[in-house]
Amino acid sequence: KAAKETLEKIDQNFSGYLFTNLALGAGTIYRSQFENGDWKTAKINDGDVNNKVGGEYTGYTSTIDGRDKDHEEWVGYDLGRSKEFTRLTVYPSAAGTGYAYGMPRHFIIQASDDGAAWRTVNDTYSRESGNEFPLSGYGAYNFTLEEENGGAVNARYVRLFAQNLRPKATDANYYYLQLTEMEVYNAVPQTLAEAKTAVEQALERLVVSNGTTEEDVLAAAGKVVSNVAIAVGVEDFKKT
């Protein structure tokens, strides 16, 4: 079971080992926020997916005002300039029960060139689709992003727009948007040279934060798949 869970985490976190997280250092934008000693908006893109306080994975949280009713919230990034990207990876906050109540039931992912006019680039779990994101445990959840023509997204701004929040059973069933980390990737390098550069940057960021066996395994696995990508070339690696 432990080996299976480790392999699943390797798959979930694969983007983080191979590609550059465009969200690192980006400006954070949001509909609302709340901060105290445990919850800080800056945590959402600090590169630390293990922001744990008192048994709960913390990070960004929406306001405590109006939390007694379901409502819309959103959080995202100003990337500074227009950039190409194809994937959003979300680590929703999870409390002592292990359930990620911070992840909305229904949401869309949107992109914008000016921060005012938004277009939807993923609507898999939109309210209109009828698909509800299942209540799950803590971990990385990957969402493919694409323009209407099916190509990679090219935009300066990106956000996760929560249409329906999930009541937090561990906190009086209040409604929040709570994310520990949210990453943005262009997960398809176009050339082997670009892939090699992305791999080198990723390896530089591989830091074993707490020395646990699982972390060591994940780091080693990341290096292995990265080296394989370089050895076989991008196109062949995509087929594996």
Side-chain angles (χ1 to χ4, degrees):
K1 182 180 179 181
K4 180 178 183 294
E5 291 177 350
T6 298
L7 289 172
E8 288 175 347
K9 288 188 177 182
I10 291 171
D11 179 62
Q12 287 178 329
N13 292 281
F14 181 76
S15 292
Y17 291 122
L18 188 56
F19 307 111
T20 300
N21 177 12
L22 302 178
L24 291 175
T28 308
I29 56 176
Y30 42 78
R31 181 181 184 275
S32 75
Q33 66 162 344
F34 173 78
E35 295 193 342
N36 59 20
D38 299 335
W39 298 90
K40 301 287 185 183
T41 298
K43 286 184 175 182
I44 195 173
N45 62 339
D46 64 358
D48 184 1
V49 299
N50 294 305
N51 280 315
K52 203 169 186 180
V53 178
E56 181 173 22
Y57 289 95
T58 62
Y60 158 84
T61 183
S62 56
T63 182
I64 61 174
D65 297 329
R67 61 183 176 176
D68 57 326
K69 294 181 180 180
D70 190 10
H71 59 283
E72 295 179 341
E73 289 286 353
W74 56 267
V75 64
Y77 300 119
D78 176 355
L79 301 176
R81 59 180 176 82
S82 184
K83 295 183 179 181
E84 188 173 275
F85 49 91
T86 60
R87 181 176 297 171
L88 189 76
T89 298
V90 180
Y91 293 79
S93 171
T97 60
Y99 290 119
Y101 293 108
M103 192 70 177
R105 294 166 47 233
H106 296 112
F107 61 92
I108 53 178
I109 301 169
Q110 297 181 306
S112 173
D113 300 318
D114 57 8
W118 294 88
R119 59 188 183 274
T120 299
V121 292
N122 183 297
D123 62 357
T124 303
Y125 294 101
S126 71
R127 187 162 47 207
E128 294 74 19
S129 74
N131 299 320
E132 180 174 313
F133 189 82
L135 179 60
S136 306
Y138 182 74
Y141 296 92
N142 299 311
F143 303 98
T144 299
L145 312 179
E146 60 182 24
E147 298 282 13
E148 191 174 3
N149 64 6
V153 178
N154 199 302
R156 173 172 173 171
Y157 301 87
V158 60
R159 70 180 181 181
L160 185 149
F161 190 103
Q163 298 172 309
N164 292 108
L165 302 175
R166 190 184 303 278
K168 189 174 183 180
T170 55
D171 189 4
N173 283 323
Y174 287 138
Y175 292 88
Y176 308 96
L177 174 60
Q178 295 183 326
L179 307 178
T180 295
E181 196 81 10
M182 189 166 73
E183 304 167 338
V184 181
Y185 295 103
N186 184 22
V188 186
Q190 299 301 307
T191 68
L192 183 57
E194 289 174 338
K196 186 175 185 297
T197 298
V199 169
E200 290 172 347
Q201 292 174 345
L203 293 181
E204 289 176 2
R205 297 195 305 274
L206 279 175
V207 176
V208 179
S209 60
N210 55 21
T212 64
T213 301
E214 181 178 73
E215 291 295 327
D216 288 337
V217 170
L218 290 174
K223 292 178 181 179
V224 169
V225 295
S226 296
N227 289 332
V228 169
I230 293 175
V232 305
V234 176
E235 292 304 320
D236 289 337
F237 181 73
K238 288 179 185 177
K239 299 174 185 177
T240 63

